[in-house]
Amino acid sequence: MSRIGKKPVELPSGVSAQVSGQTIEVKGPKGSRSFTAGDDVDIILDGNVVTVKPRGLSKRARQQWGMTRSMVANLAQGVTGGFKKELELVGVGYRAAMQGKDLKLSLGYSHEVIFEVPAGVTVSTPKQTEVIIEGIDQQLVGETAANIRKWRSPEPYKGKGIRYKDEYIFRKEGKKK
């Protein structure tokens, strides 16, 4: 039995959902999102409560049960509050700036890195060493943050690189003389 799948998803006020077959569409103040579930689960909408039930007791049905419930909960959270990832740049001369719709990064390379921001995500740079990624799609926000971080991931000796806010970097000791 899925402990996550058993919990019903309560839709906050101002959010409406519509189920047609295996597809659920959630509309809220920040936008609209939809998700198509697999054939192993049923999505039931009762007022402002969405429940997910497995169609059988197979292993795949039980796996899809918890995952589908989590996806529906993320849809509801995304259209009301949205998702946010914060990155910070640590290193001498490392800085970020918005250039139109693109993010311009100076990361110690011989050239500037121009990162094209995907549609559905907003990127802002309140400080030169801080990047904030926001959007209603949790997967797209996380993927965008990971792609930006990939340009210069933190190294363990000095801790230089792009890291998530409040990320702990395991530090190593340098060579002994």
Side-chain angles (χ1 to χ4, degrees), residues 68-106:
T68 303
R69 189 262 177 212
S70 295
M71 293 296 288
V72 171
N74 287 341
L75 293 180
Q77 183 183 345
V79 297
T80 54
F83 294 99
K84 177 177 172 180
K85 287 272 188 185
E86 296 182 30
L87 299 173
E88 54 185 14
L89 284 70
V90 178
V92 177
Y94 287 12
R95 58 179 70 95
M98 288 304 293
Q99 190 176 49
K101 291 188 177 187
D102 297 334
L103 179 66
K104 185 172 114 179
L105 299 166
S106 300

Side-chain angles (χ1 to χ4, degrees), residues 8-30:
V9 178
E10 289 195 30
L11 300 175
S13 61
V15 175
S16 64
Q18 185 177 6
V19 177
S20 59
Q22 292 298 101
T23 303
I24 181 168
E25 184 176 6
V26 180
K27 293 179 184 172
K30 290 201 173 213

Side-chain angles (χ1 to χ4, degrees), residues 9 30 36 39 43 50 58 69-71 81 83-84 107 119 132 138 140 163 169:
V9 178
K30 290 201 173 213
T36 303
D39 293 331
I43 300 174
V50 179
S58 68
R69 189 262 177 212
S70 295
M71 293 296 288
F83 294 99
K84 177 177 172 180
L107 300 173
I132 297 175
Q138 184 181 29
L140 191 59
R163 64 173 77 167
I169 306 298

Side-chain angles (χ1 to χ4, degrees), residues 34-61:
S34 65
F35 171 70
T36 303
D39 293 331
D40 297 314
V41 294
D42 287 323
I43 300 174
I44 302 154
L45 177 65
D46 184 32
N48 67 340
V49 177
V50 179
T51 52
V52 180
K53 302 267 187 208
R55 285 196 176 156
L57 295 175
S58 68
K59 183 174 183 179
R60 179 167 168 76

